[in-house]
Amino acid sequence: MSETSQTPTNGQQRVDAASARIVIPERHPMVTLLGTADSLLRVIEQGFPAADIHVRGNEVTATGDRREVALVKQLFNEMMLVLRTGQPLTEDAVERSIAMLRSAAEDPGHPAPSEVFTTNILSNRGRTIRPKTLNQQRYVDAIDKHTIVFGLGPAGTGKTYLAMAKAVQALQAKEVNRIILTRPAVEAGERLGFLPGTLFEKIDPYLRPLYDALHDMMDPDAIPRLMAAGTIEVAPLAYMRGRTLNDAFIILDEAQNTSPEQMKMFLTRLGFNSRVVVTGDTTQIDLPGGTRSGLKIVQEILADVPDIHFSVLTSTDVVRHKLVSRIVDAYERWDAEQEAEAGRVPRKPVQRRTGKTGAARAPRQSHRTES
């Protein structure tokens, strides 16, 4: 990378400029790096507004701010490392790569994009499940290193999906003998008697997201057989009471809808050679008014307990449609404004009506008699 510096003579602050020339090997067709109709190139240009990027043949030239130019060169190197694994590049992956490189520039301990995007958790029917963001990578690493992991974050951040993938991976590697998936059926208040159908039909809608994830990760024909053998168990949280779960990978989903008592009950089911992942979003609590969320309280109680880890994902980790991330951010801003507004509005003082003497008026007595 060749670099040049410019010092203006008109008394303005010095501009630290540089240039870099990146030669793309022939084994990487330029369309794989730049995208169809240069769609990926446009993402790169938007991500580095302080650098001018030009492409001629198989050469990319970047000029501008020294730090931006260095990041552009690093980005293309990372993109080529990802392409070597056979993975295609998408606009979303390039955007996330730029964000990771900027984070790594501030904290050298951050992993490189190629490390994140080439981490394979599970492969099934030609589809590979991988972390897609830095926080997702940290979340997956924490599951490997700790006995109990809490995955906290908004919808679409992959909390449950990645935990399910790690559970299936552990089962296939024979690290555990069974998978137990559970979630509270709080929408019905855990009182399911008023719903039509058998007990299974009543609880099935609340557990359906867990079944859907399983079908993405395993042979659908094998799932009924594994469930019949007890190797995979999907059950409401109430069914965990009184049990000790050994040699199992246990996932509690939608944990924000547990009471403090339910959370304690669940965590104390942990047996030998078992791992627990608890997922939830404290901004979507469906508990009846006045009931505190067990997921909120547990962060205060277990914050300093060894071998328990809290992984926090944010709107930047949302891997659904881009609008989901914007919706999450908009709601967070609205909640903050509402809290600030509530803090600014003074409470109206209670005024007592008084007579001419200034004494408080005695309450009017009722003349109604009890029969």
Side-chain angles (χ1 to χ4, degrees), residues 11-33:
Q12 296 179 355
Q13 187 177 3
R14 181 188 177 194
V15 177
D16 192 9
S19 63
R21 174 173 166 268
I22 307 152
V23 179
I24 309 301
E26 293 183 359
R27 64 175 176 272
H28 297 307
M30 292 302 291
V31 68
T32 62
L33 280 170

Side-chain angles (χ1 to χ4, degrees), residues 31-36 38-44 75 79 82-83 86-98 117 130 132 319 322:
V31 68
T32 62
L33 280 170
L34 306 181
T36 304
D38 291 341
S39 58
L40 300 183
L41 178 60
R42 285 194 294 271
V43 172
I44 298 171
L75 173 65
M79 292 169 66
V82 172
L83 288 173
Q87 299 181 49
L89 289 169
T90 63
E91 294 180 28
D92 182 68
V94 173
E95 287 180 358
R96 296 185 186 281
S97 296
I98 294 171
F117 293 137
R130 305 180 179 94
K132 295 183 178 180
V319 292
K322 290 182 180 180

Side-chain angles (χ1 to χ4, degrees), residues 149-355:
V149 173
F150 289 83
L152 313 174
T157 51
K159 306 180 301 293
T160 304
Y161 202 79
L162 291 174
M164 293 277 287
K166 293 298 293 183
V168 174
Q169 180 193 51
L171 181 67
Q172 292 178 347
K174 298 185 178 180
E175 297 173 4
V176 296
N177 294 333
R178 55 182 173 158
I179 297 173
I180 298 175
L181 311 172
T182 184
R183 66 189 303 183
V186 74
E187 292 85 350
E190 297 260 13
R191 294 184 294 272
L192 304 171
F194 68 89
L195 294 175
T198 64
L199 178 61
F200 178 81
E201 292 171 336
K202 293 175 182 179
I203 64 176
D204 184 68
Y206 306 105
L207 305 176
R208 178 52 52 187
L210 302 178
Y211 288 112
D212 292 342
L214 272 179
H215 279 267
D216 282 351
M217 300 172 188
M218 304 184 72
D219 183 355
D221 295 334
I223 294 175
R225 174 173 49 82
L226 294 172
M227 294 185 70
T231 304
I232 296 177
E233 179 181 351
V234 184
L237 180 59
Y239 282 30
M240 298 297 109
R241 189 173 298 277
R243 302 175 63 183
T244 301
L245 307 174
N246 297 316
D247 300 305
F249 197 116
I250 312 146
I251 298 174
L252 170 59
D253 189 32
E254 298 288 339
Q256 75 274 7
N257 290 328
T258 62
S259 67
E261 295 77 15
Q262 287 175 318
M263 179 63 74
K264 179 182 177 182
M265 178 274 292
F266 172 77
L267 293 176
T268 53
R269 300 307 95 203
L270 178 66
F272 295 104
N273 193 38
S274 288
R275 281 185 275 172
V276 170
V277 178
V278 179
T279 68
D281 176 6
T282 54
T283 67
Q284 297 194 51
I285 298 173
D286 300 316
L287 292 169
T291 304
R292 296 189 67 186
S293 169
L295 185 60
K296 279 190 171 182
I297 295 175
V298 77
Q299 298 177 63
E300 304 171 12
I301 298 173
L302 303 181
D304 299 323
V305 177
D307 207 19
I308 295 179
H309 179 82
F310 290 85
S311 288
V312 179
L313 298 105
T314 67
S315 61
T316 59
D317 302 299
V318 172
V319 292
R320 295 178 183 170
H321 194 284
K322 290 182 180 180
L323 270 179
V324 176
S325 177
R326 296 169 188 167
I327 290 169
V328 170
D329 286 339
Y331 268 92
E332 288 181 353
R333 288 193 299 270
W334 185 84
D335 288 339
E337 291 171 0
Q338 294 299 307
E339 291 179 3
E341 187 67 26
R344 286 194 298 266
V345 175
R347 296 184 61 183
K348 294 183 178 180
V350 178
Q351 297 181 352
R352 291 187 177 184
R353 298 177 60 185
T354 60

